[in-house]
Amino acid sequence: MFSALVFTSLSASPLAAGQSKWLGNVIPGSVPANWDTYWNQAASENGCHWGTVQPTSGSFSWGQCDLAYNHCQTKAIPFTYVCLLWGSQEPAWIGGADGKTAFTNLVKAAAGRYKPQFVIVVDEALHAPSSIRNSLGGSGSTGWDWIVTAFEIARSAFGPGTKLLINDYGIVNDSGAVQRYLGIINILKGKSLLDGIGIQCHQFNVNTLAAATITANVNSLGATGLPVYPSELDINGNSEADQAQIYQRVFPALWTNTNIKGITMWGYITGQTWKDGTGIVDAGGRERQAMTWLKGYLDTTKV
Ligand SMILES: *[C@@H]1O[C@H](CO)[C@@H](O)[C@H](O)[C@H]1NC(C)=O
């Protein structure tokens, strides 16, 4: 008489339900029908970038960012605003404006509209620094004054209820980059401006990475006492089975690390991801081997 229970999948929905960490994903131009089945934190894929939300100096366009934020509000799950200041996808008009004034207006407008749990204030400082960095103080006495200024503006606008993050790629695979990143992180931490450390984990950074390397680099960041948030996680492989194998090497090293408090993946539907081959659910809803493994793993590994 208990057969229905015995044969029902144990998989919780969303995947990280009941765990101490969230597992999220991006929301692109619309919310995929099966999105809530899997994820319990979100970022807009491109919808909150400065070039998207303020294409001209006098007009804001929040539709895409609203979509992701409102979905999180409806589901009562954390939202990460990605991002305020990044050297890519900046609107052209800021080149002719006073950068600090323009940035302050952007941040005030975003903070007036949203109460996000997390905001990535500066993205890719080591790889794609903002074009307005000199207007924000340039290198200055700390070496990174423009980043300090950006965080001060964000803290003032968003207040203490929003956790401010920094984010970059090429970190989790590179102990030298970890040290350069810590140079910025420790300046912000010393001024109580930073609440967490984002590390992009795209396939080009993690596919060939040993679990021990991930652990060592994450622990170096975690030694600051700040939580670490893998962002933009995606993995592909030579085949569906290969992709699943890489998941089994990389994902547990992140999920079980106590310095890590949540993971955001960067797409999941085959053919609808930034990097080819990183989907783990086909467009028709079939779960690929990596997703089958991930569900089973999260059923049995509780953090
Ligand atoms: C880490 O990845 C970046 C690309 O994101 C690359 O430029 C860098 O050389 C890699 N570092 C190591 C040590 O593999």
Side-chain angles (χ1 to χ4, degrees):
M1 67 187 287
F2 296 111
S3 59
L5 281 177
V6 170
F7 291 108
T8 297
S9 166
L10 291 171
S11 288
S13 178
L15 296 183
Q19 305 231 23
S20 65
K21 316 180 180 188
W22 37 259
L23 180 61
N25 216 309
V26 286
I27 290 178
S30 61
V31 185
N34 56 9
W35 197 94
D36 299 321
T37 309
Y38 300 115
W39 317 115
N40 61 357
Q41 175 265 354
S44 176
E45 187 164 15
N46 292 301
C48 308
H49 293 154
W50 196 352
T52 306
V53 300
Q54 199 178 9
T56 63
S57 63
S59 68
F60 285 94
S61 176
W62 296 109
Q64 287 294 305
C65 199
D66 281 356
L67 178 81
Y69 179 76
N70 291 341
H71 191 72
C72 290
Q73 292 291 99
T74 302
K75 295 292 169 185
I77 59 175
F79 173 73
T80 302
Y81 186 102
V82 180
C83 54
L84 292 171
L85 194 62
W86 177 34
S88 297
Q89 299 186 32
E90 292 182 320
W93 63 266
I94 61 173
D98 177 72
K100 186 175 179 183
T101 302
F103 181 69
T104 303
N105 289 340
L106 168 76
V107 175
K108 284 184 175 169
R113 194 170 187 86
Y114 306 123
K115 294 283 166 265
Q117 283 75 13
F118 303 95
V119 173
I120 292 176
V121 179
V122 174
D123 204 5
E124 301 185 358
L126 294 171
H127 295 94
S130 173
S131 66
I132 62 161
R133 59 190 180 280
N134 286 338
S135 164
L136 293 169
S139 304
S141 60
T142 64
W144 297 100
D145 275 16
W146 64 276
I147 299 179
V148 172
T149 305
F151 273 80
E152 286 170 346
I153 292 168
R155 183 70 92 201
S156 167
F158 282 95
T162 293
K163 294 192 187 314
L164 304 184
L165 311 181
I166 191 166
N167 195 46
D168 214 325
Y169 68 88
I171 306 293
V172 71
N173 66 312
D174 193 329
S175 61
V178 167
Q179 292 309 315
R180 289 192 291 281
Y181 202 29
L182 283 170
I184 303 172
I185 287 163
N186 284 325
I187 292 166
L188 293 169
K189 189 191 160 198
K191 297 176 183 296
S192 299
L193 290 169
L194 188 66
D195 304 310
I197 302 167
I199 47 170
Q200 294 182 26
C201 290
H202 285 296
Q203 44 84 22
F204 52 83
N205 281 153
V206 300
N207 271 5
T208 62
L209 217 47
T213 305
I214 294 173
T215 302
N217 287 330
V218 170
N219 287 351
S220 295
L221 296 169
T224 59
L226 292 167
V228 179
Y229 297 100
S231 62
E232 314 191 17
L233 172 64
D234 53 28
I235 290 169
N236 53 13
N238 297 324
S239 65
E240 195 176 318
D242 186 41
Q243 180 192 34
Q245 282 297 321
I246 300 170
Y247 258 88
Q248 290 171 53
R249 168 163 41 84
V250 169
F251 192 87
L254 296 170
W255 189 249
T256 60
N257 190 304
T258 54
N259 295 300
I260 288 176
K261 305 301 183 192
I263 296 178
T264 307
M265 295 180 47
W266 211 248
Y268 69 102
I269 300 175
T270 305
Q272 299 174 29
T273 57
W274 178 61
K275 287 293 179 189
D276 285 346
T278 57
I280 57 175
V281 178
D282 288 341
R286 186 188 72 90
E287 293 174 350
R288 289 162 60 91
Q289 289 179 34
M291 177 56 96
T292 303
W293 172 81
L294 185 61
K295 288 173 77 170
Y297 175 77
L298 290 169
D299 274 345
T300 53
T301 308
K302 301 300 179 188
V303 296

